Amino acid sequence: MFRRIDKTADTVAITFDGIPMRVDIEQTVAAALLSQGISTLRTSVVCDRPRAPYCLMGVCFECLVTIDGIQNRQACMTVVRDGMAISSQSGARSLDEGC
Amino acid sequence: MALRKIEDLHLLDREYDLAIIGAGPAGMAAAAQAAAAGARTILLDENPAPGGQIYRSIERNSPARRAFLGNDYWKGKGVLKAFLQCDAAYLSQALVWSVEQGETDGKASVELRVSAGGKSSIVHARRVVFATGAMERPMPVRGWTLPGVMTIGAAQIALKSSGLVPDGRVVLAGSGPLLYLFADQLLQAGGNLVAVLDTTPRSNWAKALPFLPPFLVSSYLLKGLALLAKVRRSVPVFTGVGTIEVIGQDRATAIRFQAKGRTEEIDIDSAFLHQGVVPNNSLANATGCLLAWNDRQKCFQPELDTHGRSSLPAIYVAGDGGGIGGALVAEVGGRIAALAACLDLFPEKTRQIGPLLAKHEKRRRVLSRGRTFIDTLYQPAVAFRAPTDLETIACRCEEVTVGAIRDAAARNVVGPNQLKTMLRCGMGPCQGRMCTATITEILADVQQRSPADIGTYRLRTPIKPVPLREFASLPFTPDAVQAVTGDHSDRS
């Protein structure tokens, strides 16, 4: 959905739903995924409809993902780190997963 | 002197004179001003770097590399420099999720619960300034939850912080100064902008005209006109757009709208929406500060005196979080609130602080010229504040439609809080941030009451979800233990 207009020198390795990718450092998980052409990060909790980051400033909670086993992390407020494992969320959360 | 960047919650002092929440123009200026006045100051900010949204990534960006961000953005370098050189402590990526009033040695103080690096801790301060900034007013239209639809603010954040430009065919839709400012930035950055849909009601021009004279002397007039002309030369601009619908199955593929009595449809890869900004007042609301309805800006904002004192002792609000005024007004407002807090903390310094306060108040009056014109011209159309399309989603988290809310409103629901228990609107993870404005305006519309009378959701802490283990790791007061267990003993 987005493309980069300039490059920074350093990258880190992350995975999204198991797919490995290299992304620029010093950016949020949401921005990193958008730059890889990934916008749908979850499905909604009531009607199971696709949702994507919306505000990118921490107020809308549309970009909730599971990061390193912890659910409902705001992708737009979390900075990428080398080795980070990110996964999409489908519908409502459950208590027996990481919380 | 230099800013002390704190890397871990454990390295914080036990108590500060002043805690400031938010590192936008108001927060950075407040920190510099308070530190200069001798207050032991800490600034806590949720973002990884200072700047807030308006000066996002200001430390890393340079005019050489991203000139298109424009001179108003580069003004952030000045306030950043003063902040980086001041004698305050600074903790980034720190969420203040609760602020409670307390007493230390019989004097008012506050207790902040802060989450950073997967841990929570309590920070004590004698005074606190909320510099929590603005957020974009929701623009509920059919299809606004589809991937491919974001806010214009979000697109600008992606551009400022990561150098990201939307791929493919882009449409911008809405109203407010940011619409044309971002259109220009996007074009300069190489974006494929195919249309701008301006929803500013034509009737706003007549309403705004009486307020034009003070605006004529504001620096924004010429810049605004030049921007408009520039964008119109490059891209089709549709004005007086009345209704908007985003079309697509699993992502946005087209946008349909009405302009000049005709229905138009444009194929898109992404659409960005904007209806101005409103104070981000979640923390003030949850802390219990009284809020007041601003009928010109159509939003709730904390009740403040001219120096930023809220209805609660020890709590001050500065910048757009206390009422929308823009970056420069926010900066000077941060200085004023910090000085007011210092005045209340150190009455013996009245002679030094008094004249400074007067100087900054005068400056704020100058910078605020023309605000009424902008507010009146860009007051969002009622169609986007209190939508009538029954299928449009109003509460994105719990997927509650405009139809459900209008139906409940017609059954004499007493207010937003009762609506929550009936429909679950405002009960999802965003805690009502994305629907509260819409709910208030729909209730006011259906019940023919004023939004001031309808009110807004009563928020509770934590203002954002916090893992239970972080909650559990904090010490509990005897009152809190008794509230949960009913146990009067003080075994805890």
Side-chain angles (χ1 to χ4, degrees), chain B residues 43-64:
Chain B
L43 188 145
L44 301 148
D45 184 50
E46 215 186 335
N47 286 297
Q53 305 309 332
I54 192 82
Y55 298 138
R56 184 114 181 173
S57 301
I58 188 72
E59 204 171 359
R60 237 170 355 120
N61 280 331
S62 66

Side-chain angles (χ1 to χ4, degrees), chain A residues 37-60:
Chain A
I38 298 163
S39 57
T40 301
L41 303 188
R42 65 182 188 105
T43 60
S44 62
V45 299
V46 180
C47 302
D48 203 36
R49 301 288 300 142
R51 291 290 176 89
Y54 182 71
C55 76
L56 288 190
M57 56 169 283
V59 296
C60 79

Side-chain angles (χ1 to χ4, degrees), chain B residues 337-380:
Chain B
L339 286 169
C342 290
L343 196 65
D344 298 343
L345 282 168
F346 317 119
E348 70 279 8
K349 292 189 182 176
T350 305
R351 201 175 286 176
Q352 295 101 299
I353 293 173
L356 275 174
L357 257 178
K359 186 186 97 178
H360 290 304
E361 281 184 274
K362 194 175 163 199
R363 172 105 180 109
R364 181 164 62 182
R365 278 195 296 278
V366 172
L367 289 170
S368 301
R369 277 183 203 152
R371 189 75 225 173
T372 311
F373 176 79
I374 295 178
D375 288 346
T376 312
L377 178 61
Y378 291 122
Q379 191 173 89

Side-chain angles (χ1 to χ4, degrees), chain B residues 313-327:
Chain B
I315 295 176
Y316 306 69
V317 184
D320 275 0
I324 302 304

Side-chain angles (χ1 to χ4, degrees), chain A residues 1 3-5 49 58 62, chain B residues 162 165 167 190 249 396:
Chain A
M1 180 176 174
R3 65 184 161 82
R4 279 197 161 277
I5 52 167
R49 301 288 300 142
E62 290 290 3
Chain B
S162 303
V165 165
D167 237 347
Q249 276 302 308
R396 299 171 61 107

Side-chain angles (χ1 to χ4, degrees), chain B residues 241-255:
Chain B
V241 171
T243 60
I244 288 177
E245 175 185 355
V246 183
I247 298 164
Q249 276 302 308
D250 288 335
R251 56 165 300 109
T253 53
I255 190 161

